[in-house]
Amino acid sequence: MSNSHPLRPFTAVGEIDHVHILSEHIGALLIGEEYGDVTFVVEKKRFPAHRVILAARCQYFRALLYGGMRESQPEAEIPLQDTTAEAFTMLLKYIYTGRATLTDEKEEVLLDFLSLAHKYGFPELEDSTSEYLCTILNIQNVCMTFDVASLYSLPKLTCMCCMFMDRNAQEVLSSEGFLSLSKTALLNIVLRDSFAAPEKDIFLALLNWCKHNSKENHAEIMQAVRLPLMSLTELLNVVRPSGLLSPDAILDAIKVRSESRDMDLNYRGMLIPEENIATMKYGAQVVKGELKSALLDGDTQNYDLDHGFSRHPIDDDCRSGIEIKLGQPSIINHIRILLWDRDSRSYSYFIEVSMDELDWIRVIDHSQYLCRSWQKLYFPARVCSF
């Protein structure tokens, strides 16, 4: 005899769990119009439904269908705006069966589906859909996904979109989706220190966005550009001809650039949380020091005086040292270093960071301490290349 329900959940002895059968039977009501007592109209398509099922599953529909309003009248037809027939079909299936198939749907439909989950108060569905969207982010869909995630305050999806855009900043700027961002979402992206595209590229992308969104306040958008990070040539030959920034704003940027310390400029940098960016994987290299390759190989177990440990001569004027060039400007606030610990000697040291190898900021000063073995160091976040 064949078994029509081969994947029944395991239950303890004395317990009966036929929820899967219940889901199938209630879901079968969606196929036809039997017993339906309310109809939704979406994009001119009619969706017969059952008040009691909708009310049992959703507080929004309970208030709508049994709250004494026009929609609570028998055989009412309820038009729904701001959604699509495809997304509403998925929502009804979820309401009736507790199931939804996301893998075969276009991103636009999934975002409409997410909007319905938020609007009608299905937090578990909202979370599950958000988790799936996190797995399919790409250059083409990340901007519209971020827009929706920001609108509905979905922290995990918003964070994943930001991380993706930070790591693909230049591609995002040139994507079609960037032009469709809302003003709020746009500013949330480009104001981030970790959105580390060249400032010229950011300016040109915002200029293009302004052309496609002519009704928005362009002055507010252009305030997001960090003009002092642009070269004099870029300010005069790219920014000035656009006419979106006043001559005074350009002159102020030139003044800030010429009078400020380099490390005081508001640089952008890549942010890669909880990962060691001083590795060959991320393009880092040791530019000063002896046995350079040993510092970035990640081996903290096998070392002695002759191999596996980078070092530098110790002199009185502190001019020698070990210098690392990161693969790209990066935001850091934590460094772990292993000082020589195979004998009883201790060491004093300091750590400085720079963007140009000329202007250095000291972030750690242990020059008056005796230190050895592992050093776990924290300091205010800085953007640096060295």
Coordinates of all heavy atoms in Angstrom, one line a residue, residues 35-39 49-56 61-62 64-66 70-78 96:
Y35 N -17.1 27.8 -0.6 CA -17.3 28.3 0.7 C -16.7 29.7 0.9 O -16.6 30.2 2.0 CB -16.7 27.3 1.8 CG -17.0 25.9 1.6 CD1 -16.1 25.0 1.2 CD2 -18.4 25.5 1.7 CE1 -16.4 23.6 1.0 CE2 -18.7 24.1 1.5 CZ -17.7 23.2 1.1 OH -18.0 21.9 0.9
G36 N -16.2 30.3 -0.2 CA -15.6 31.6 -0.1 C -16.6 32.7 0.3 O -17.8 32.6 -0.2
D37 N -16.3 33.6 1.1 CA -17.2 34.6 1.5 C -16.6 36.0 1.5 O -17.2 37.0 2.0 CB -17.8 34.4 2.9 CG -16.7 34.2 4.0 OD1 -15.5 34.4 3.6 OD2 -17.0 33.9 5.1
V38 N -15.5 36.2 0.8 CA -14.9 37.5 0.6 C -14.0 37.4 -0.6 O -13.4 36.3 -0.9 CB -14.1 38.0 1.9 CG1 -12.9 37.1 2.1 CG2 -13.6 39.4 1.7
T39 N -13.9 38.4 -1.3 CA -13.0 38.4 -2.6 C -12.1 39.6 -2.6 O -12.5 40.8 -2.3 CB -13.9 38.4 -3.8 OG1 -14.7 37.3 -3.8 CG2 -13.0 38.4 -5.1
A49 N -11.6 34.1 -0.9 CA -11.0 33.7 0.3 C -12.0 33.4 1.4 O -13.2 33.6 1.1 CB -10.0 34.7 0.8
H50 N -11.6 33.1 2.6 CA -12.5 32.7 3.7 C -12.2 33.5 4.9 O -11.1 33.5 5.4 CB -12.3 31.2 4.0 CG -12.4 30.3 2.7 ND1 -11.4 30.2 1.9 CD2 -13.5 29.6 2.3 CE1 -11.8 29.4 0.9 NE2 -13.1 29.0 1.1
R51 N -13.2 34.3 5.3 CA -13.0 35.3 6.4 C -12.4 34.6 7.6 O -11.4 35.2 8.2 CB -14.3 35.9 6.7 CG -14.9 36.8 5.7 CD -16.3 37.2 6.1 NE -16.9 38.0 5.0 CZ -16.8 39.3 4.9 NH1 -16.1 40.0 5.7 NH2 -17.3 39.9 3.8
V52 N -12.9 33.5 8.0 CA -12.5 32.9 9.3 C -11.1 32.5 9.3 O -10.4 32.6 10.3 CB -13.5 31.7 9.7 CG1 -13.3 30.6 8.7 CG2 -13.2 31.3 11.1
I53 N -10.6 32.0 8.1 CA -9.2 31.6 8.0 C -8.3 32.8 8.1 O -7.3 32.8 8.8 CB -9.0 30.7 6.7 CG1 -9.7 29.4 6.8 CG2 -7.5 30.5 6.5 CD1 -9.7 28.6 5.5
L54 N -8.6 33.8 7.3 CA -7.8 35.0 7.3 C -7.8 35.7 8.7 O -6.8 36.1 9.2 CB -8.4 36.0 6.3 CG -8.4 35.6 4.8 CD1 -9.1 36.7 4.0 CD2 -7.0 35.4 4.4
A55 N -9.0 35.7 9.4 CA -9.0 36.3 10.7 C -8.2 35.5 11.7 O -7.6 36.1 12.6 CB -10.5 36.4 11.1
A56 N -8.3 34.2 11.6 CA -7.5 33.3 12.5 C -6.0 33.5 12.4 O -5.3 33.4 13.4 CB -7.9 31.9 12.3
F61 N -6.4 41.3 9.2 CA -7.6 40.8 8.5 C -8.8 40.6 9.5 O -10.0 40.8 9.1 CB -7.4 39.5 7.7 CG -6.6 39.7 6.5 CD1 -5.4 39.0 6.2 CD2 -7.0 40.6 5.5 CE1 -4.7 39.2 5.1 CE2 -6.3 40.8 4.3 CZ -5.2 40.1 4.1
R62 N -8.5 40.3 10.7 CA -9.5 40.1 11.7 C -10.2 41.5 11.9 O -11.5 41.6 12.0 CB -8.9 39.6 13.0 CG -10.0 39.3 14.1 CD -9.3 38.8 15.3 NE -8.2 37.8 15.0 CZ -7.1 37.7 15.6 NH1 -6.7 38.6 16.6 NH2 -6.2 36.8 15.2
L64 N -10.2 44.0 9.8 CA -10.8 44.5 8.5 C -12.1 43.8 8.3 O -13.1 44.4 7.9 CB -9.8 44.2 7.4 CG -10.2 44.6 6.0 CD1 -10.3 46.1 5.8 CD2 -9.3 44.0 4.9
L65 N -12.1 42.5 8.5 CA -13.3 41.7 8.1 C -14.4 41.5 9.1 O -15.5 41.2 8.8 CB -12.8 40.3 7.6 CG -11.8 40.3 6.5 CD1 -11.3 38.9 6.2 CD2 -12.4 40.8 5.2
Y66 N -14.0 41.8 10.4 CA -15.0 41.7 11.5 C -15.1 42.9 12.3 O -15.6 42.9 13.4 CB -14.7 40.5 12.4 CG -14.8 39.1 11.7 CD1 -13.7 38.5 11.1 CD2 -16.1 38.5 11.6 CE1 -13.9 37.2 10.5 CE2 -16.3 37.3 10.9 CZ -15.1 36.7 10.4 OH -15.3 35.5 9.8
R70 N -17.0 48.6 6.0 CA -17.6 48.2 4.8 C -17.1 46.8 4.3 O -17.9 46.0 3.8 CB -17.3 49.2 3.7 CG -17.9 48.9 2.3 CD -17.6 50.0 1.3 NE -16.2 50.3 1.2 CZ -15.3 49.7 0.4 NH1 -15.8 48.7 -0.3 NH2 -14.1 50.0 0.4
E71 N -15.9 46.5 4.6 CA -15.3 45.2 4.2 C -15.9 44.1 4.9 O -15.7 42.9 4.5 CB -13.8 45.3 4.3 CG -13.0 46.2 3.4 CD -13.1 47.6 3.9 OE1 -13.6 47.9 4.9 OE2 -12.5 48.5 3.2
S72 N -16.6 44.3 6.0 CA -17.1 43.2 6.8 C -18.5 42.8 6.3 O -19.1 41.8 6.8 CB -17.2 43.6 8.3 OG -18.1 44.7 8.4
Q73 N -19.0 43.4 5.3 CA -20.3 43.0 4.7 C -20.2 41.7 4.0 O -19.1 41.4 3.4 CB -20.8 44.1 3.8 CG -21.0 45.5 4.4 CD -22.0 45.4 5.6 OE1 -23.1 44.8 5.5 NE2 -21.6 46.0 6.7
P74 N -21.2 40.9 4.0 CA -21.2 39.6 3.3 C -20.8 39.7 1.8 O -21.3 40.7 1.1 CB -22.6 39.0 3.5 CG -23.1 39.7 4.7 CD -22.5 41.1 4.7
E75 N -20.0 38.8 1.3 CA -19.6 38.7 -0.1 C -19.0 40.0 -0.6 O -19.1 40.4 -1.7 CB -20.9 38.5 -1.0 CG -21.7 37.2 -0.6 CD -20.9 36.0 -0.7 OE1 -19.9 35.9 -1.5 OE2 -21.1 35.0 0.1
A76 N -18.3 40.7 0.3 CA -17.6 42.0 0.0 C -16.5 41.7 -1.0 O -15.8 40.7 -1.0 CB -17.1 42.7 1.2
E77 N -16.2 42.7 -1.9 CA -15.1 42.7 -2.7 C -14.1 43.8 -2.3 O -14.5 44.9 -2.1 CB -15.4 42.9 -4.2 CG -16.0 41.7 -4.9 CD -16.0 41.8 -6.4 OE1 -15.5 42.8 -6.9 OE2 -16.4 40.8 -7.0
I78 N -12.9 43.4 -2.0 CA -11.9 44.3 -1.4 C -10.8 44.6 -2.4 O -10.0 43.7 -2.6 CB -11.4 43.8 -0.1 CG1 -12.6 43.5 0.9 CG2 -10.4 44.8 0.6 CD1 -12.2 42.8 2.2
Y96 N -2.8 30.1 4.2 CA -3.6 28.8 4.2 C -2.8 27.6 4.6 O -3.3 26.6 5.1 CB -4.3 28.6 2.9 CG -5.6 29.4 2.7 CD1 -5.6 30.8 2.6 CD2 -6.8 28.7 2.7 CE1 -6.8 31.5 2.5 CE2 -8.0 29.4 2.6 CZ -8.0 30.8 2.5 OH -9.2 31.5 2.3

